[in-house]
Amino acid sequence: MIPIRQIENNSQRKRSQPKGRQLEPVALAQIQELLGKADIKKDMLIEYLHLIQDKYKGLKLAHLNALASIMHLSAAEVYEVASFYHHFDVIRDGDAATAEITVRVCTSLSCQMQGAQNLLQQLPRLLGNTVRVLETPCIGRCEKAPAVSIDQQTLSDASAEKIAEALATKSGFDDIPTAIEYANYKNAGGYQQLIRCHTEQLSKEAVFTMLDNAGLRGLGGAGFPAGRKWRIVAAEPAPRLMAVNIDEGEPGTFKDRHYLERDPHLFLEGMLIAAWAVDVAEIYIYLRDEYQACHQLLRREIAQLQAQPPIPNLPRIYLRRGAGAYICGEESAMIESIEGKRGMPRLRPPYVAQQGLFGRPTLEHNFETLYWIRDFLEKGTDWFVHQGRHGRHGLRSFSVSGRVKRPGVHLAPAGITVQELINEYCGGMQDGHQLYAYLPGGASGGILPASLDNLPLDFDTLQPYGCFIGSAAIIILSDQDSAVAAARNMMRFFRDESCGQCTPCRVGTAKALALIDKEQWDIPLLQELLHVMRDASICGLGQAAPNPVECVIRYFPHELDTSRSAT
């Protein structure tokens, strides 16, 4: 037993320095210089981390500590955000220096089918120790697989030799299509529909009714009716805010990037019409970090728009950069990220429409939903409604990748079947390949066999088959592919992308992957686990993660008994 007198003496001793990591003057000066004299805001934490990462090729603990001091946050608050996102490289004491160049090889399904694993094996030997090679989830270039990102540039249709040449010559990276600039868009009649709204040639109720009649639903995956959403948010007390989701992290999805690279102002006009209809004070655009060229494009065009606004009192527009987290495609997780936090979904209620960004009622929309608004006001809803097939109405933008001759974004009638889509829009299957299976809604939408190639692709048509269309990311598998291998790829993705907040998803995805990685599947145990994940997970990630595995059990039982189940 320690004598009482010794305890008293120890309690009276003063520390020579405060507890915790000490602030380094050099690191503090570096971060102060990097941030400049702008007002420090807590919700800008992720933007500040990007500045540091871009400048120093990583996040040293000394820099994180300095940032915490400047922002009047605890070091733990800054560290937990920095360590949450994939694209932030936290350099701990004793870690080797981060390589000057990082090559990230996409290993999502479309790229894996085109040889991503071979790239991962070849590149370290070819490039040597000066280049770091990492696996990365989908980077939104599925139509040109395999794809890699090299720091902040992308390289599609990649081979080891092509990557080495690009690094040596600093050239050969993906070209961005020439986008329609502000002046040209405006001269061609752009922003006239926005002006009609602001000059009361159109009433808000008329616009709400137009969206209802068109049947426009959210095109980010959830499919909530747009007109109803606008009415709900408009009825909430001001000030109201708006958040636009261009995170697009679902494997197989690239439609938002496709449209943004070509006609950004069609989206911006739709966004401003929505802002007018709901009377929002500020707009926040959340763009995934992999779309660096789009980030520069949007920043430039928004600056031109704000410098010569087509209407008075243009809402403030803020462009925020994601940091590599699929979960931030979920609306409340995206809002948490915009606020400078870890992207963890919120419990509901309250709903985002009631209490969203910074605690205010928030209109949250996917990019493509807003992209169509001007056309509805200009062409009328009949133009949209009269299109469609097999009893469905409207148009859908299908992101098609996999074993077809013409992968890409194809605007086609809602309700088209996958076989019609392949034959009429994608140039047929690749030579030597026959349709075997397809994913109708990206990673989370399930897997269907070729025998169900006649199902209408639209909202609410695929649920009876254990699938859904989501953001219309269609991945085509041929007779040379495996549904089991696809399910393993998807579950590995979900395990890595789970935010970790709830046990059914955090543990369930890992356990499910371990079970399906075995040569023989324990079907009863697996089904019990998937049932718990679906019923008890907080958000759509854990709820939808079972879909590919359940589809394999339902539609591809023959693979579980043959060598086709090899990864």
Side-chain angles (χ1 to χ4, degrees):
M1 180 179 295
I2 302 175
I4 294 177
R5 183 178 299 278
Q6 183 176 342
I7 295 175
E8 291 174 346
N9 291 338
N10 289 341
S11 66
Q12 294 173 359
R13 293 177 184 170
K14 293 184 178 180
R15 293 183 177 273
S16 59
Q17 59 186 19
K19 293 176 66 177
R21 180 175 293 274
Q22 301 309 298
L23 193 60
E24 297 182 12
V26 173
L28 179 62
Q30 289 172 334
I31 301 306
Q32 286 174 331
E33 180 182 4
L34 192 60
L35 299 185
K37 297 182 179 179
D39 293 337
I40 301 299
K41 299 179 180 179
K42 187 175 180 180
D43 60 279
M44 290 288 286
L45 173 56
I46 293 173
E47 295 295 312
Y48 300 151
L49 292 171
H50 275 304
L51 285 174
I52 299 170
Q53 171 98 5
D54 292 344
K55 173 71 174 178
Y56 295 103
K57 304 296 183 181
L59 301 175
K60 297 179 181 178
L61 294 181
H63 286 154
L64 295 181
N65 198 37
L67 181 61
S69 176
I70 293 170
M71 297 186 70
H72 303 292
L73 299 173
S74 70
E77 287 179 277
V78 174
Y79 182 85
E80 71 177 9
V81 173
S83 59
F84 179 85
Y85 295 92
H86 297 315
H87 292 182
F88 291 142
D89 296 320
V90 178
I91 304 172
R92 299 166 181 83
D93 293 343
D95 286 355
T98 303
E100 281 293 314
I101 298 175
T102 298
V103 176
R104 300 178 186 271
V105 180
C106 175
T107 55
S108 290
L109 182 57
S110 299
C111 287
Q112 178 177 288
M113 291 163 61
Q114 299 294 338
Q117 291 299 327
N118 291 335
L119 274 182
L120 282 170
Q121 295 173 4
Q122 296 171 15
L123 287 176
R125 296 194 300 268
L126 183 64
L127 302 180
N129 297 329
T130 59
V131 176
R132 183 174 57 164
V133 179
L134 299 176
E135 293 187 43
T136 194
C138 185
I139 61 174
R141 298 276 170 180
C142 318
E143 80 278 31
K144 297 180 180 179
V148 303
S149 66
I150 301 175
D151 291 339
Q152 296 183 357
Q153 295 176 293
T154 57
L155 190 64
S156 301
D157 300 316
S159 65
E161 294 74 17
K162 188 175 178 180
I163 294 169
E165 183 178 355
L167 290 173
T169 62
K170 309 297 182 186
S171 63
F173 297 101
D174 291 341
D175 293 326
I176 302 300
T178 302
I180 299 174
E181 296 184 354
Y182 177 60
N184 294 334
Y185 179 82
K186 197 173 179 183
N187 290 337
Y191 291 105
Q192 288 303 308
Q193 299 307 314
L194 176 64
I195 293 172
R196 287 181 66 203
C197 294
H198 276 263
T199 55
E200 299 183 355
Q201 297 177 51
L202 283 173
S203 69
K204 294 181 179 180
E205 182 57 36
V207 174
F208 293 156
T209 301
M210 193 175 296
L211 296 182
D212 292 338
N213 292 340
L216 180 65
R217 298 171 64 170
L219 297 173
F224 192 86
R228 191 192 311 173
K229 179 183 284 190
W230 289 21
R231 282 193 173 92
I232 291 171
V233 178
E236 294 293 324
R240 293 174 285 274
L241 303 177
M242 186 173 180
V244 181
N245 187 342
I246 322 182
D247 193 55
E248 197 170 47
E250 183 77 22
T253 308
F254 46 92
K255 61 183 177 61
D256 294 349
R257 172 187 59 78
H258 173 87
Y259 288 131
L260 178 56
E261 289 176 344
R262 289 159 176 80
D263 199 347
H265 287 281
L266 194 58
F267 150 68
L268 290 172
E269 183 171 5
M271 179 186 77
L272 291 172
I273 291 170
W276 160 81
V278 181
D279 191 19
V280 304
E282 297 178 333
I283 302 170
Y284 289 79
I285 301 173
Y286 189 86
L287 179 64
R288 69 180 303 191
D289 192 35
E290 291 88 344
Y291 292 171
Q292 281 298 311
C294 290
H295 190 278
Q296 296 171 15
L297 167 66
L298 260 185
R299 186 172 294 281
R300 183 190 71 219
E301 296 305 315
I302 290 172
Q304 294 181 10
L305 177 66
Q306 291 173 326
Q308 302 178 48
I311 56 170
N313 303 316
L314 195 73
R316 290 289 301 274
I317 303 172
Y318 300 94
L319 180 58
R320 293 295 175 84
R321 179 178 165 189
Y326 167 70
I327 191 62
C328 289
E330 197 276 341
E331 61 177 6
S332 64
M334 179 190 71
I335 284 172
E336 288 284 296
S337 188
I338 292 174
E339 292 180 355
K341 305 171 187 173
R342 294 176 293 171
M344 289 192 167
R346 297 175 179 177
L347 294 173
R348 299 174 179 83
Y351 295 95
V352 165
Q354 303 164 315
Q355 188 175 322
L357 190 57
F358 306 120
R360 301 307 310 163
T362 302
L363 177 65
E364 191 276 342
H365 262 312
N366 168 257
F367 169 94
E368 194 199 351
T369 311
L370 300 170
Y371 187 81
W372 291 109
I373 300 301
R374 173 191 157 179
D375 282 341
F376 286 144
L377 272 60
E378 194 170 71
K379 301 178 181 178
T381 56
D382 287 347
W383 156 79
F384 186 76
V385 172
H386 287 165
Q387 305 192 62
R389 294 188 187 178
H390 307 295
R392 312 303 297 179
H393 302 285
L395 294 166
R396 292 304 301 267
S397 300
F398 294 96
S399 304
V400 185
S401 61
R403 308 296 190 181
V404 294
K405 289 183 178 178
R406 289 201 303 267
V409 174
H410 298 289
L411 183 63
I416 193 171
T417 69
V418 73
Q419 192 63 64
E420 292 169 338
L421 186 65
I422 293 171
N423 293 342
E424 299 175 30
Y425 291 84
C426 302
M429 296 290 291
Q430 293 176 356
D431 294 339
H433 293 264
Q434 294 183 350
L435 178 64
Y436 172 68
Y438 64 102
L439 283 71
S444 54
I447 310 174
L448 291 170
S451 60
L452 294 177
D453 64 353
N454 60 344
L455 300 179
L457 298 174
D458 198 14
F459 292 116
D460 309 323
T461 61
L462 304 177
Q463 279 83 342
Y465 303 91
C467 296
F468 59 83
I469 194 169
S471 59
I474 314 293
I475 304 176
I476 305 297
L477 278 63
S478 79
D479 52 351
Q480 299 181 29
D481 300 308
S482 160
V484 167
R488 286 169 175 160
N489 183 285
M490 298 296 100
M491 191 58 71
R492 190 172 295 111
F493 171 81
F494 290 131
R495 180 200 62 185
D496 295 342
E497 294 298 322
S498 173
C499 75
Q501 180 177 191
C502 68
T503 302
C505 179
R506 181 186 68 249
V507 177
T509 52
K511 293 292 186 182
L513 179 60
L515 287 172
I516 67 174
D517 267 342
K518 294 181 178 179
E519 185 175 348
Q520 297 293 324
W521 288 15
D522 186 335
I523 303 296
L525 179 60
L526 192 54
Q527 289 178 322
E528 183 179 358
L529 172 63
L530 299 179
H531 178 76
V532 171
M533 290 173 60
R534 189 180 298 283
D535 286 355
S537 295
I538 289 174
C539 81
L541 192 156
Q543 294 163 9
N547 286 344
V549 177
E550 290 180 337
C551 284
V552 168
I553 296 171
R554 182 176 180 178
Y555 298 116
F556 304 92
H558 57 280
E559 284 200 33
L560 302 178
D561 300 323
T562 70
S563 60
R564 287 179 60 87
S565 64
T567 50

